[in-house]
Amino acid sequence: MTAPRALVTGAAGQDGSYLTERLLAEGYAVHAIVRATDRGAMRETGQMSIHDVDLTDHARVCDVVLDVAPHEVYNLGGISSVAQSWSDPVGTAEVSGVAVVSLLQACLDLQNREGRPVRLLQASSAEIFGEPTDEPQTEATPVRPVSPYGAAKAFAHHAVHVFRGHGLEASTAILYNHESPRRPTTFVTRKITSTVASIAATGTGELRLGNLDARRDWGWAPDYVDAMVLAARHGRPDDYVIATGQAHSVRDFVSTAFAHVGIDDWQQHVVVDPELFRPADPTVLVGDPSHARSTLGWAPTHDFGSLVRAMVDHDLALLGAS
Ligand code: GDP
């Protein structure tokens, strides 16, 4: 029997790395669409086939889909921060919006050619909700983005619905912030855990942060990858909010991380730097994952405390201090 085939965009990122490792472990033949410039960021690829293709090169993306003939397609590609989307709104719309339509079209063509379902999972984002009035948000919350990133993701989200209406087995996972030891230190979680580990290991150093009162619904990235796989394979395409349902502040994150290394008077190590405050910090987004729980049987394996501790432990191990 030939192995099932999966095609993954954005394979060089945090979620892409967890997803491709998982698919390979399951015996899938994994094909990754990766920008040539991101190749260096890829982890050990094992058996994976790499296609150096820019997602905005529609003809080549279509060729890869039709050549590989995947059973499952995971679209994780695109830019990953709201801040970046303000510096390049057009590029954001192209790669996180329009490119998704060409991928959907190619998958529908493949499905029609093969006469079997092509299961597509779109990594959607809580940013499609913008500044919602209801909390927690559900799949029924109005899509009203407030950033170029949110708008591109919203367009892609609607496009999935359009192609679903034409018979494509396409689902969305509406992802809230999700973290792991593979987060770059540009995100506050990893910045905190790497600095706390270093302070614990050396007994010195400072953690310089912006708004300690900012709150996020932080989950564990491998759990969110599990949700995407469950949604893709469910057999009936749908939308799923993937979140923990709990928001915590940056201050909670800091105190939990320091407590884990035995430092209770964490204030003496933290400097609040006004330069690091954002001009506008968005409304707290908190998701209600009830639909994923009841339909997919999905539940997060890490709560906030175990997420923080796992990230600190990883950073301690990197320093040889665990
Ligand atoms: P985001 O939700 O994708 O913007 O993820 P981030 O991890 O970059 O930011 C999460 C929150 O932490 C935001 O509300 C920031 O204002 C806040 N924050 C406070 N201090 C810092 C910092 O030093 N770096 C970053 N990246 N965020 C910080």
Side-chain angles (χ1 to χ4, degrees), residues 6-184:
L7 180 65
V8 179
T9 76
Q14 169 187 258
D15 298 354
S17 68
Y18 285 116
L19 175 63
T20 52
E21 283 168 14
R22 178 193 166 139
L23 293 168
L24 287 169
E26 289 178 330
Y28 274 61
V30 179
H31 292 257
I33 291 186
V34 180
R35 263 183 320 190
T37 47
D38 283 341
R39 245 192 124 133
M42 301 258 329
R43 293 175 169 261
E44 261 318 299
T45 53
Q47 305 308 311
M48 191 154 47
S49 307
I50 309 283
H51 304 265
D52 286 326
V53 177
D54 195 301
L55 281 176
T56 58
D57 187 341
H58 304 315
R60 289 199 60 209
V61 168
C62 185
D63 285 347
V64 171
V65 170
L66 294 174
D67 287 350
V68 170
H71 301 86
E72 294 171 18
V73 176
Y74 296 88
N75 185 38
L76 315 183
I79 68 142
S80 58
S81 93
V82 172
Q84 202 186 332
S85 81
W86 283 108
S87 60
D88 183 14
V90 175
T92 300
E94 281 169 350
V95 72
S96 295
V98 178
V100 183
V101 178
S102 62
L103 190 63
L104 289 162
Q105 178 67 62
C107 290
L108 187 58
D109 290 346
L110 175 67
Q111 180 166 293
N112 291 336
R113 187 188 79 186
E114 302 282 301
R116 59 153 171 89
V118 175
R119 295 171 158 177
L120 180 138
L121 187 288
Q122 162 68 8
S124 195
S125 163
E127 294 293 330
I128 66 173
F129 298 134
E131 289 168 1
T133 47
D134 43 344
E135 187 190 314
Q137 296 87 50
T138 70
E139 296 76 12
T141 297
V143 172
R144 255 187 329 234
V146 295
S147 68
Y149 177 76
K153 285 289 199 183
F155 174 68
H157 194 79
H158 291 311
V160 167
H161 297 168
V162 170
F163 280 79
R164 188 188 296 163
H166 278 258
L168 185 67
E169 212 174 285
S171 292
T172 68
I174 306 168
L175 304 169
Y176 284 63
N177 287 51
H178 46 291
E179 314 297 314
S180 78
R182 296 184 189 173
R183 266 300 203 204

Side-chain angles (χ1 to χ4, degrees), residues 194-208 258 263 265-271:
S194 61
T195 310
V196 167
S198 153
I199 291 170
T202 63
T204 171
E206 69 175 25
L207 174 56
R208 192 167 274 273
F258 273 111
I263 297 175
D265 57 344
W266 58 266
Q267 284 88 347
Q268 64 162 327
H269 296 287
V270 173
V271 176

Side-chain angles (χ1 to χ4, degrees), residues 210-270:
N211 184 8
L212 297 184
D213 295 316
R215 294 168 70 80
R216 290 286 185 278
D217 180 337
W218 279 299
W220 178 241
D223 285 342
Y224 288 43
V225 166
D226 285 347
M228 289 192 258
V229 172
L230 288 170
R233 297 180 186 165
H234 179 252
R236 217 166 41 94
D238 207 344
D239 304 315
Y240 300 95
V241 162
I242 306 300
T244 71
Q246 305 285 326
H248 291 270
S249 66
V250 172
R251 186 188 311 278
D252 292 339
F253 202 108
V254 170
S255 66
T256 307
F258 273 111
H260 186 50
V261 298
I263 297 175
D264 293 323
D265 57 344
W266 58 266
Q267 284 88 347
Q268 64 162 327
H269 296 287
V270 173

